[in-house]
Amino acid sequence: MNRLITVFCVVLLAGCGGYPPVSGIHGLTNVVIFSDPANDEIQLAGTLFDVYPEKYLPTGSTRSISEGVPWAYNTDPIDTEPGFGSGQQNSMNIIQNQGGDPQDIKPNVTDPTPYAAWLCEQLVVDVPGSDDYDEWYLPSFDELKAMHTKMLDVVDRDNMDDMNEHWRGMYWSSTEANNPRAAQYLNFWDASPGVGEFMKYNTAKVRCVHEL
């Protein structure tokens, strides 16, 4: 499968832009490793960078400054769950509902903006000297919350300007809201993230997770 994105700033010694080069496991860097609050043996890796196709980035940019992508192109009800461990199946259900590749869904549009779950599904992280990491997915709401909580441990909390610049933003979960025309997001903002819902065709940022 041809992937839309290969992460070009994940290297062994340096981070992406201003992000801290946090080492993970299996050679992964620029990820945060976090656990299921109910079972710390279940771990996921989450991107410490916004995920967006390189072709949409301004020339010379080393990280996303995009306002984001839609959760979906329509407002169809989709079977999703909020719990830890639900994100992968949620993402599969979203992709199946949408019809897969955005270019196939919108054949008359050149390089259509991808939807969030497809963006994660297409992500490939290049780990030098090891296998590439694919099979990323859009985190469920509980996975996104756990990721945010762990991220706070690796942020320079004394430098609020840096924190606001690199961590502020509204991020999609793969969990549908109580209103089936909307989906849940988390606003990464210090230790008290804002929780809300957007209509699915609205845009928010994306961070992806991978099972370990």
Side-chain angles (χ1 to χ4, degrees):
M1 178 184 294
N2 292 327
R3 297 279 173 172
L4 284 173
I5 340 162
T6 296
V7 174
F8 52 92
C9 53
V10 177
V11 295
L12 290 177
L13 299 177
C16 303
Y19 295 101
V22 178
S23 294
I25 59 177
H26 309 304
L28 284 171
T29 60
N30 279 298
V31 296
V32 59
I33 308 300
F34 62 101
S35 303
D36 181 347
N39 184 352
D40 60 12
E41 294 184 359
I42 301 177
Q43 293 186 320
L44 299 178
T47 61
L48 281 173
F49 48 89
D50 297 348
V51 177
Y52 207 68
E54 183 178 359
K55 63 186 175 183
Y56 293 109
L57 296 178
T59 301
S61 175
T62 56
R63 66 183 182 86
S64 170
I65 58 171
S66 166
E67 291 303 313
V69 299
W71 194 87
Y73 297 137
N74 55 37
T75 56
D76 293 348
I78 300 175
D79 183 20
T80 64
E81 299 292 336
F84 205 101
S86 300
Q88 190 168 38
Q89 186 62 55
N90 289 351
S91 297
M92 292 171 60
N93 292 349
I94 295 167
I95 292 170
Q96 182 178 24
N97 173 273
Q98 293 300 289
D101 191 329
Q103 192 65 73
D104 294 337
I105 300 168
K106 298 186 174 187
N108 297 323
V109 179
T110 301
D111 293 336
T113 301
Y115 54 96
W118 178 258
L119 194 59
C120 287
E121 199 276 340
Q122 293 292 292
L123 177 62
V124 177
V125 174
D126 180 19
V127 179
S130 181
D131 293 335
D132 294 342
Y133 272 73
D134 53 12
E135 298 184 358
W136 296 80
Y137 56 89
L138 190 65
S140 70
F141 186 73
D142 286 354
E143 289 166 348
L144 191 62
K145 284 197 300 182
M147 177 181 173
H148 174 265
T149 298
K150 186 63 177 180
M151 281 168 60
L152 293 173
D153 293 339
V154 300
V155 179
D156 182 2
R157 301 291 295 278
D158 295 328
N159 187 343
M160 290 303 297
D161 289 340
D162 183 71
M163 184 173 177
N164 292 343
E165 178 182 357
H166 297 300
W167 303 94
R168 184 180 182 181
M170 289 173 283
Y171 291 87
W172 283 125
S173 77
S174 60
T175 303
E176 197 172 70
N178 289 332
N179 173 2
R181 294 170 57 84
Q184 291 184 304
Y185 70 82
L186 196 67
N187 189 0
F188 285 15
W189 182 255
D190 198 13
S192 300
V195 178
E197 59 185 57
F198 277 151
M199 298 299 286
K200 294 174 180 177
Y201 49 74
N202 288 334
T203 60
K205 296 182 179 183
V206 176
R207 299 210 176 174
C208 305
V209 297
H210 193 291
E211 290 186 348
L212 296 176

